[in-house]
Amino acid sequence: MLKGRKIVLGVTGGIAAYKAAELVRELVRAGAEVFVVMTRNAQAFITPLTFQTLSGHSVTTELFSLTEESEIGHIALADRAELLAIAPATANIIGKIAAGIADDILTTIVMATKAPVLLAPAMNVHMWENPICQENIQKLRSRGFHFIDPEAGELACGYEGKGRLAEIPAIVEEIRSILSPKDLSGETLLVTAGPTEEPIDPVRFLSNRSSGKMGFAVARAARRRGAQVILVSGPSALPAPSGVKFIPVRTASEMREAVLGSLPGVSTLVMAAAVSDYRPKGTSPEKIKKSRAELSLPLELNPDILHEAGQRKEKRLLIGFAAETESLLANARKKLAEKNLDLIVANDVRLPGAGFQVDTNVAKLIDRSGKVEELPLMSKEDLADCVLDRVLLLRSA
Ligand code: CTP
């Protein structure tokens, strides 16, 4: 999604300037072309060489530099930007932009660009709370500037409170979101993710190796593309995505309740969760002691959530996942038919780069008509967008 996108990153003079280096890394890793512009004060905290090395492009620091202007002028940078991000954004730069001042390279580019601008403020809590700063932010928001608010916590100045630069993954997510076409607006997507945990006794449970990465990627991508998103997730180490209604659950029964309860307002259901097919028959209220040489654990079938959703399908699009270790296409086709689905994402979990825990997947998309689209190895982020592209196609069919 960020591949080849041109992002101008303004860095201003706050202690969080060093974190902008990580932001450049993440953006470059995602395939973006990053052009860094630094204010004079920023250079007191971190050197242009750091950004030049990480971005692979020369860094712009001066408005009236003969060499910099001949290499790439400030207007060219303003025109080139598909998005201008300023991270960290000090109270000073926010005030200058709000007042229409263009007295250095960065403020001049802000004034000249037609691209969307995202500001990630970072400052002392009292500066953040200062009504003048808040008024400036309000004014800029009303003019269409995007903001990602600072977080609360321990500040470099020794204070506690709001003022820490937002986490780098959250800034990257906001950049992706701003650059995404809002082609799913009007859709309400319910996405499930992660494993379920079926308790055996108070300290043990049955589960599987699902990390939740695939479902979380679908939820984030759908939100970026303008959909209303509900994410129902089993236990996962991943942070709840912003802008999404997050419903954490533990067991398959809890997941069933959350999914079926939300279903009436949902236009598309994406079941990426690895639901435990079985659960222990009766949970022991006490920890089971090792008193016997052998122990058999009777299991009973869990409800098949997707199958139940298929029984009450109405106009809803239903998308399932099939994690297989053999007869991939045949098994996936059988699930598609039995569960009354529109699309199934089939993956052979034994292939390198596919399945649980990893950040990539190798999938085949099979639709109701039987058509199979074989996708190459790709990130779960990219696969999420491919699946959502199919939602659009199915809607228009
Ligand atoms: N699924 C579900 N409820 C279950 C089991 C699975 O909703 N109790 C959903 C999964 O989220 C997935 C799809 O059904 O989207 C296929 O899951 P999978 O476990 O691969 O299929 P099963 O029908 O359980 O078949 P099997 O385990 O025999 O392969």
Side-chain angles (χ1 to χ4, degrees):
M1 193 267 129
L2 287 177
K3 217 174 168 83
R5 306 303 288 266
K6 293 184 172 52
I7 295 167
V8 173
L9 174 66
V11 182
T12 66
I15 185 65
Y18 76 94
K19 295 183 182 169
E22 187 59 29
L23 179 56
V24 174
R25 264 186 94 98
E26 286 303 314
L27 292 171
V28 169
R29 196 174 282 153
E33 269 201 79
V34 185
F35 303 90
V36 177
V37 178
M38 299 177 77
T39 62
R40 186 161 302 162
N41 288 345
Q43 295 166 64
F45 291 93
I46 185 165
T47 68
L49 187 60
T50 303
F51 290 116
Q52 184 170 307
T53 311
L54 292 174
S55 69
H57 291 291
S58 56
V59 172
T60 309
T61 54
E62 297 293 333
L63 184 55
F64 301 114
S65 151
L66 283 177
T67 44
E68 285 182 10
E69 277 293 299
S70 62
E71 279 166 13
I72 172 168
H74 63 280
I75 297 296
L77 261 180
D79 287 347
R80 175 182 292 186
E82 289 179 73
L83 180 139
L84 168 60
I86 305 183
T90 55
N92 180 52
I93 192 97
I94 294 168
K96 278 164 78 168
I97 300 170
I101 293 171
D103 67 347
D104 67 2
I105 182 71
L106 183 55
T107 46
T108 309
I109 290 172
V110 175
M111 193 65 104
T113 193
K114 293 260 184 228
V117 181
L118 170 67
L119 293 113
M123 61 192 74
N124 164 273
V125 58
H126 294 164
M127 292 171 87
W128 171 253
E129 287 169 354
N130 187 310
I132 300 172
C133 184
Q134 286 301 318
E135 243 173 67
N136 288 335
I137 290 170
Q138 264 325 103
K139 179 175 174 186
L140 291 177
R141 274 191 205 276
S142 71
R143 299 264 177 211
F145 285 76
H146 301 266
F147 278 84
I148 178 158
D149 276 4
E151 295 192 353
E154 191 186 318
L155 304 179
C157 53
Y159 280 81
E160 279 280 324
K162 207 166 174 183
R164 287 165 63 98
L165 183 71
E167 293 294 329
I168 300 303
I171 300 176
V172 174
E173 180 57 31
E174 207 48 42
I175 290 173
R176 284 180 194 271
S177 174
I178 295 167
L179 286 172
S180 291
K182 300 291 174 261
D183 52 4
L184 286 175
S185 59
E187 286 280 343
T188 301
L189 253 97
L190 171 52
V191 185
T192 65
T196 62
E197 277 181 10
E198 311 298 333
I200 297 170
D201 68 16
V203 295
R204 302 180 178 97
F205 55 82
L206 269 185
S207 191
N208 58 64
R209 293 172 50 229
S210 169
S211 60
K213 283 179 178 171
M214 191 63 239
F216 276 60
V218 173
R220 282 195 304 268
R223 180 251 166 182
R224 269 178 226 142
R225 293 171 69 161
Q228 298 285 331
V229 181
I230 306 166
L231 175 62
V232 177
S233 178
S236 161
L238 302 172
S242 65
V244 160
K245 181 176 174 193
F246 184 64
I247 309 179
V249 295
R250 187 174 181 214
T251 62
S253 297
E254 285 173 27
M255 186 172 279
R256 174 183 177 274
E257 213 169 287
V259 170
L260 298 185
S262 305
L263 216 48
V266 165
S267 54
T268 300
L269 170 65
V270 182
M271 279 290 301
V275 186
S276 294
D277 286 328
Y278 293 92
R279 64 177 171 228
K281 201 171 176 186
T283 304
S284 164
E286 305 300 338
K287 189 181 162 207
I288 299 171
K289 291 295 195 188
K290 58 169 184 304
S291 53
R292 288 158 283 192
E294 263 183 32
L295 176 70
S296 307
L297 204 59
L299 302 178
E300 62 187 357
L301 206 54
N302 258 330
D304 188 321
I305 307 167
L306 193 50
H307 188 268
E308 282 190 58
Q311 302 290 295
R312 48 179 95 168
K313 188 169 185 307
E314 296 164 10
K315 291 224 167 77
R316 206 167 290 123
L317 292 177
L318 297 183
I319 301 178
F321 278 70
E324 306 290 346
T325 56
E326 56 181 343
S327 312
L328 178 65
L329 283 180
N331 281 331
R333 279 201 179 102
K334 193 160 165 266
K335 285 175 190 174
L336 178 92
E338 282 175 2
K339 302 195 188 198
N340 197 14
L341 308 181
D342 298 280
L343 186 78
I344 192 152
V345 184
N347 59 293
D348 181 338
V349 286
R350 289 170 316 178
L351 283 181
F356 296 146
Q357 304 291 338
V358 293
D359 289 324
T360 53
N361 215 341
V362 190
K364 292 182 172 51
L365 305 183
I366 309 160
D367 66 20
R368 285 187 90 97
S369 71
K371 214 180 90 207
V372 181
E373 186 185 352
E374 293 200 19
L375 299 172
L377 174 78
M378 59 174 73
S379 67
K380 287 183 175 170
E381 296 285 331
D382 288 342
L383 178 56
D385 272 316
C386 287
V387 172
L388 295 174
D389 288 345
R390 297 296 290 260
V391 169
L392 287 177
L393 271 181
L394 288 164
R395 275 270 170 257
S396 62

